[in-house]
Amino acid sequence: MLKANPALNEWLASPVRYRWQATVADRLRSLAGRAPYRRTAQYHYFHLGRTTYQKHIRRREAVVLKKYFYVLRPVLALRWLRTRTDPPPMSLPEIRTGIAINPEADRAVGELIARKAATRELGTGPRIPVLDRMIEDEFAKGLSAPCPLEDPQLLADAYLLFRDVVRSQD
């Protein structure tokens, strides 16, 4: 977590919980909020989104439409990191309302979400040019979010939390 683990931060923010200790989770979230996450999160979302886009959408005439969701969340998370200081939320609708998106692209995202809500599988269809342009534009901007300075007390607090959690398991 100290090197910023976007997946761990997403688990801590997720409403889905398998085994949960609220006091430990609260302390982990607090610690995660102090970790310099931006650069690592950018790399994570950039490579996750770009790999999926290149493998499943780019240069294809017909695509599995569901794959757009696997690209849109990382792409919009990149935009979030570029324009805001807080970590991006898990939910695609929350990300959409928290950042500026071209109205035409936003309409296309909304239509995909509505179609997904109405049917179990979206199936295959033609590429969506307005989304492709938005996705490629975000990738072209690259990794540009500023990175804050590291908190010097962070490591000591992480060790303390780790010891407290291990001791509480006895």
Side-chain angles (χ1 to χ4, degrees), residues 17-167:
R17 299 180 176 150
Y18 300 101
R19 188 171 175 196
W20 195 254
Q21 292 180 334
T23 55
V24 172
D26 289 343
R27 289 180 67 189
L28 282 169
R29 275 196 297 268
S30 175
L31 196 64
R34 294 169 44 207
Y37 70 92
R38 297 181 77 73
R39 178 60 63 185
T40 304
Q42 279 187 318
Y43 278 104
H44 170 75
Y45 293 126
F46 182 84
H47 293 290
L48 177 66
R50 189 178 66 175
T51 300
T52 304
Y53 182 71
Q54 288 176 340
K55 184 175 181 180
H56 298 285
I57 298 174
R58 189 171 177 235
R59 293 192 177 120
R60 293 177 181 252
E61 290 187 29
V63 298
V64 175
L65 294 173
K66 183 174 158 181
K67 297 295 182 184
Y68 271 105
F69 288 113
Y70 301 137
V71 176
L72 285 170
R73 183 171 182 286
V75 160
L76 296 180
L78 280 170
R79 183 172 292 185
W80 182 286
L81 289 169
R82 202 174 6 268
T83 59
R84 297 181 57 139
T85 58
D86 52 328
M90 285 286 297
S91 157
L92 183 61
E94 283 181 66
I95 292 177
R96 274 179 71 209
T97 60
I99 57 175
I101 302 173
N102 168 305
E104 189 182 359
D106 192 51
R107 247 187 322 282
V109 173
E111 290 169 8
L112 267 181
I113 291 172
R115 285 178 64 185
K116 178 69 175 139
T119 182
R120 189 169 171 190
E121 279 300 319
L122 291 173
T124 301
R127 289 178 48 196
I128 305 169
V130 66
L131 294 183
D132 292 343
R133 282 190 302 276
M134 180 183 71
I135 290 165
E136 290 171 6
D137 181 54
E138 286 301 317
F139 293 146
K141 289 177 183 170
L143 308 170
S144 61
C147 299
L149 298 175
E150 197 166 321
D151 178 349
Q153 184 63 35
L154 190 61
L155 184 59
D157 291 347
Y159 281 137
L160 177 63
L161 173 58
F162 178 76
R163 285 191 302 270
D164 287 350
V165 170
V166 169
R167 286 181 187 137

